[in-house]
Amino acid sequence: MSLVLDPAAQDLLFREARTANTFTDEPVTEEQVQAIYDLVKYGPTAFNQTPLRITLVRSAEARERLVQHMAEGNRAKTAAAPLVAILSADNEFHEELPALFPAFPQAKDVFFAERPAREGSATLNAALQAAYFIVGVRAAGLAAGPMTGFDHEGLRKEFLDDDHTPLMVVNIGKPGPDAWYPRSPRLAYEDVVTTV
């Protein structure tokens, strides 16, 4: 059985898509980011929670502050990317649940009254949303360079607050020269899937 999605779209989103390490200087517009979010907001999460928060780093001053918290190998490409997004998990996401999950508005208090439960759920579901965001960037014809190599606590203090947990930093733009490293291997189906 073949996939319903057009093969060109499959390539754009997965087979040919790679983590970009260089970018052109073509700007990424607010309209592009809005279109990405308006697509990926429909990705499934538990209880329809929406813990992902996106901080767009556009100004030179904010970029300079961000670069200081990146791992050495990630600094130059973060400084040069047309747009950088800090993706974080909002640990107070449960406040929105009565509106986002009207079928069971009590979920806010039944499942997420305690902070540790919220943090675990926020991290898992925001990570799902971050993956959707990366695929959405690709769907917009842009390249994404997601990174977890940074000082998490330093970045949190610089850009977020105690209610937000940084997950990743994503460089976004049109790929530049020599943007791609060689494709790394993937596990085969039979190495990943078990039928019981």
Side-chain angles (χ1 to χ4, degrees), residues 3-12 15:
L3 299 174
V4 174
L5 188 65
D6 178 77
Q10 295 173 39
D11 288 343
L12 176 71
R15 286 193 290 259

Side-chain angles (χ1 to χ4, degrees), residues 65-87:
R65 288 171 33 223
L66 173 61
V67 167
Q68 294 175 23
H69 297 288
M70 300 304 295
E72 184 63 40
N74 293 332
R75 289 181 180 171
K77 56 189 170 185
T78 301
L83 179 64
V84 182
I86 300 169
L87 305 186

Side-chain angles (χ1 to χ4, degrees), residues 93-105:
F93 70 89
H94 68 305
E95 296 295 342
E96 304 291 339
L97 280 182
L100 293 175
F101 198 62
F104 186 45

Side-chain angles (χ1 to χ4, degrees), residues 77-151:
K77 56 189 170 185
T78 301
L83 179 64
V84 182
I86 300 169
L87 305 186
S88 64
D90 180 357
N91 295 307
E92 297 299 313
F93 70 89
H94 68 305
E95 296 295 342
E96 304 291 339
L97 280 182
L100 293 175
F101 198 62
F104 186 45
Q106 308 91 312
K108 169 185 182 264
D109 299 314
V110 172
F111 297 110
F112 303 111
E114 302 296 324
R115 177 73 179 230
R118 289 198 304 274
E119 287 179 352
S121 191
T123 298
L124 173 63
N125 287 280
L128 281 172
Q129 290 186 284
Y132 303 145
F133 181 80
I134 292 166
V135 173
V137 168
R138 294 171 175 179
L142 300 168
M147 301 165 291
T148 57
F150 57 88
D151 173 2

